[in-house]
Amino acid sequence: MKISEHVYNMHIDDGHIAHPGGSNNFFVGDPDKEMILIDTGDYEKEWINQILDYYDHLGKPKLKAILITHGHYDHIGGLDRIYEATKAPVMAHPLLADKLSKIIGNRESIISLQDEELISVSGIDLKALFTPGHKEDHICYYLESDLVMFTGDSVLGSSSTSVKNLSEYMKSLDYVLKFKHDIVCPAHGPVAMPPKGSDLINSQKMHRIKRETQILDSLEKGLTEINDIVNDIYPRHLTEGLKPIASHNVRTHLIKLLDDGVIQMKDEIFNLIR
Ligand SMILES: [Zn+2]
């Protein structure tokens, strides 16, 4: 499906519980000249076949590069087969160079990107934006010509993403927000078109800030343990299956507050520093 002048989306309902709204792989450029592919899907056969079928549908343009947003399996799982079919160089974060070399069995075809590096295709440029947080090797890609931000797993279309390092994640959101965009193309969930597109990243940022305020309120009330804080801020009838996710989320926030020097922790007991 065509998203903007130079962006085409291969959408798949992969049925993964952590991917509400399905998943996306984007082709960027001009199908009559050359294009770039962003991410290579899961190792499951059907997903990769759909990417390759869509590439056929676009007329098999020269593939200038395969860009990787980060090293989770649902983004690099199909790399061996897609590299085999296209022989396009693979561009990614330097931390992924070894892992990707092993997957394709060819070191020469792996290109390590730098922050703010431009990758040109069909007369337009994608800019690599290093955005650690969801994972330390995460890169968002910005297409200024179409005002499109490819957010990988940093910002999803219809759910909040899992975060490994929240301090870095919040800085990364501020970083991408500096680049004016009307459309957000996430790796999972629906593409956010105007007018929603220009607000999606900021609304995710606000969601995290609100959560942090709630946790500070809980600590202010004298709650000191993760379980008690979860019970305080999440709906009372939170589905059992979601409890571990909520606990993990609260812990991620508490670690950020520790980093910020706002709270202290001893034996899993958290307290505000007054
Ligand atoms: Zn993912």
Side-chain angles (χ1 to χ4, degrees), residues 3-270:
I3 302 290
S4 67
E5 194 183 344
H6 303 99
V7 178
Y8 297 75
N9 180 16
M10 195 297 291
H11 179 83
I12 176 171
D13 286 312
D14 59 317
H16 193 295
I17 190 168
H19 303 159
S23 297
N24 309 301
N25 291 89
F26 299 99
F27 285 89
V28 182
D30 180 344
D32 293 328
K33 293 180 190 158
E34 55 179 10
M35 301 194 90
I36 271 175
L37 168 65
I38 301 181
D39 284 343
T40 59
D42 211 328
Y43 56 83
E44 285 167 46
K45 217 174 168 191
E46 193 43 42
W47 189 338
I48 303 162
N49 284 344
Q50 286 200 34
I51 295 172
L52 290 171
D53 285 351
Y54 195 72
Y55 179 54
D56 283 351
H57 167 78
L58 289 170
K60 275 197 170 188
K62 176 177 184 278
L63 202 62
K64 175 101 187 274
I66 299 165
L67 300 186
I68 301 294
T69 61
H70 64 293
H72 280 150
Y73 73 95
D74 55 326
H75 300 259
I76 59 171
L79 183 60
D80 53 348
R81 286 190 51 213
I82 290 175
Y83 175 75
E84 188 62 41
T86 63
K87 291 285 184 273
V90 181
M91 299 183 169
H93 195 286
L95 288 172
L96 283 174
D98 284 345
K99 189 173 183 175
L100 301 180
S101 299
K102 275 182 203 134
I103 290 176
I104 65 166
N106 179 0
R107 182 87 199 191
E108 274 78 72
S109 292
I110 304 292
I111 298 168
S112 288
L113 290 166
Q114 291 180 1
D115 188 25
E116 302 228 343
E117 185 167 340
L118 295 176
I119 306 120
S120 30
V121 57
S122 295
I124 51 167
D125 289 326
L126 279 157
K127 186 184 283 223
L129 304 177
F130 281 24
T131 39
H134 170 74
K135 200 170 183 300
E136 57 284 357
D137 54 24
H138 196 286
I139 301 181
C140 292
Y141 296 96
Y142 176 53
L143 183 65
E144 189 176 15
S145 64
D146 296 27
L147 296 178
V148 173
M149 186 66 76
F150 299 93
T151 53
D153 278 6
S154 284
V155 170
L156 307 183
S158 63
S159 55
S160 57
T161 191
S162 66
V163 172
K164 204 168 159 191
N165 183 320
L166 190 58
S167 301
E168 290 195 336
Y169 180 75
M170 296 304 280
K171 281 182 212 146
S172 291
L173 291 186
D174 282 334
Y175 181 35
V176 292
L177 282 168
K178 284 186 195 153
F179 298 88
K180 182 181 161 26
H181 56 272
D182 288 339
I183 300 174
V184 171
C185 288
H188 309 291
V191 168
M193 299 298 288
K196 198 186 165 204
S198 55
D199 189 50
L200 182 68
I201 298 173
N202 194 49
S203 70
Q204 289 287 325
K205 179 186 156 186
M206 289 305 155
H207 168 75
R208 304 278 173 175
I209 290 173
K210 191 176 153 208
R211 217 19 128 213
E212 183 170 295
T213 308
Q214 288 175 322
I215 290 170
L216 286 168
D217 286 347
S218 297
L219 290 161
E220 192 72 50
K221 281 190 237 167
L223 301 176
T224 56
E225 292 180 49
I226 289 181
N227 215 6
D228 294 337
I229 297 171
V230 169
N231 289 334
D232 192 40
I233 63 175
Y234 281 88
R236 214 176 290 172
H237 301 294
L238 191 65
T239 321
E240 267 315 303
L242 289 177
K243 272 239 164 147
I245 299 172
S247 299
H248 174 79
N249 199 7
V250 168
R251 176 179 292 279
T252 313
H253 275 279
L254 290 168
I255 289 167
K256 174 180 178 290
L257 292 170
L258 280 170
D259 284 352
D260 293 348
V262 178
I263 63 170
Q264 56 195 1
M265 191 255 301
K266 192 168 183 279
D267 300 332
E268 289 293 303
I269 300 291
F270 297 87

